[in-house]
Amino acid sequence: MRSNHIVWHPAHITKEDRRRLNGHKSAILWFTGFSGAGKSTLSVAVEKELHHRGIRTYVLDGDNIRHGLNRNLGFSAEDRQENIRRIGEVSKLFIDAGIMTLTAFISPYRKDREMVRRLVGPDEFVEIYVKCSLEECEKRDPKGLYKKARKGEIKGFTGIDAPYEAPINPELIVETDKESLQQSVAKVLYFLEEKGYLNV
């Protein structure tokens, strides 16, 4: 339980100051979709292009985060919620630091994604639905997880015996079973350019 004696300590340098120094806005690009849909691949490819344009970025990847910050969490509904809550709070700090933050998480529940959206400003959460059919994700199965889930070796696996709630009104949809990686990257970059994220 949080103490009642904790008080937020204000800083002299603001988010706007950091954005002006960087020359671009900061936001969360939240990539969501099935395991194997291409979230990590896409987020890393988008980051590479943004880096080449002088945009300060950082990728928070689901598996990587579970090696450290969230290594004590499992895959129950409650642990998944806490996983996303922590990532939301970390992403909020990155936004304050003026960094374009790319997050690649299955994040299967709408309420959890909406919780993160509410943590930040109106234009600081960009939900990107990495849409790919379950059949295609199972064919790809880059980590062999679907095979294990079908055998019952993994319980609570999204799309097999746990639900995935697709975004209802995401800012952007990329269809990785119909588009090349280059086409998906271009779609994300075009969105960011059109919405003015790449300048102050």
Side-chain angles (χ1 to χ4, degrees), residues 121-138:
D123 299 318
E124 294 177 345
F125 184 88
V126 178
E127 188 175 39
I128 302 171
Y129 179 22
V130 184
K131 187 176 181 182
C132 184
S133 71
L134 185 61
E135 293 73 26
E136 178 60 26
C137 290
E138 284 205 65

Side-chain angles (χ1 to χ4, degrees), residues 51-179:
H51 182 77
H52 286 162
R53 297 183 185 207
I55 306 298
R56 297 180 190 275
T57 60
Y58 198 80
V59 173
L60 297 170
D61 180 82
D63 281 355
N64 293 356
I65 292 294
R66 283 181 177 272
H67 275 87
L69 178 66
N70 290 347
R71 68 184 175 192
N72 65 321
L73 298 177
F75 290 91
S76 67
E78 294 77 16
D79 279 3
R80 284 177 182 271
Q81 182 178 27
E82 176 60 13
N83 184 49
I84 298 307
R85 187 195 70 79
R86 291 183 194 178
I87 296 312
E89 293 290 353
V90 170
S91 299
K92 183 180 177 182
L93 293 174
F94 272 88
I95 286 180
D96 195 50
I99 295 171
M100 193 66 75
T101 309
L102 302 86
T103 71
F105 293 85
I106 295 172
S107 48
Y109 303 115
R110 289 188 196 110
K111 64 179 176 57
D112 294 342
R113 299 192 299 265
E114 286 305 308
M115 170 186 63
V116 178
R117 186 186 291 274
R118 291 193 300 272
L119 285 175
V120 297
D123 299 318
E124 294 177 345
F125 184 88
V126 178
E127 188 175 39
I128 302 171
Y129 179 22
V130 184
K131 187 176 181 182
C132 184
S133 71
L134 185 61
E135 293 73 26
E136 178 60 26
C137 290
E138 284 205 65
K139 273 189 214 169
R140 295 175 182 177
D141 203 8
K143 303 168 192 171
L145 299 177
Y146 283 101
K147 196 172 183 181
K148 289 180 180 178
R150 289 292 185 192
K151 288 180 179 177
E153 294 172 17
I154 300 175
K155 300 295 183 186
F157 192 78
T158 303
I160 304 301
D161 59 347
Y164 176 75
E165 298 171 358
I168 294 172
N169 192 26
E171 279 72 19
L172 188 62
I173 299 174
V174 293
E175 299 186 76
T176 59
D177 53 355
K178 297 177 182 176
E179 306 163 2

Side-chain angles (χ1 to χ4, degrees), residues 11-58:
H12 292 292
I13 305 301
T14 67
K15 174 170 58 181
E16 287 68 29
D17 292 329
R18 297 183 188 101
R19 286 174 170 176
R20 277 192 294 272
L21 183 65
N22 291 342
H24 59 80
K25 293 183 174 67
S26 54
I28 305 170
L29 307 183
W30 191 278
F31 296 85
T32 177
F34 284 124
S35 176
K39 301 177 299 299
S40 296
T41 301
L42 180 56
S43 63
V44 168
V46 170
E47 184 190 34
K48 184 178 179 182
E49 291 302 317
L50 290 174
H51 182 77
H52 286 162
R53 297 183 185 207
I55 306 298
R56 297 180 190 275
T57 60
Y58 198 80

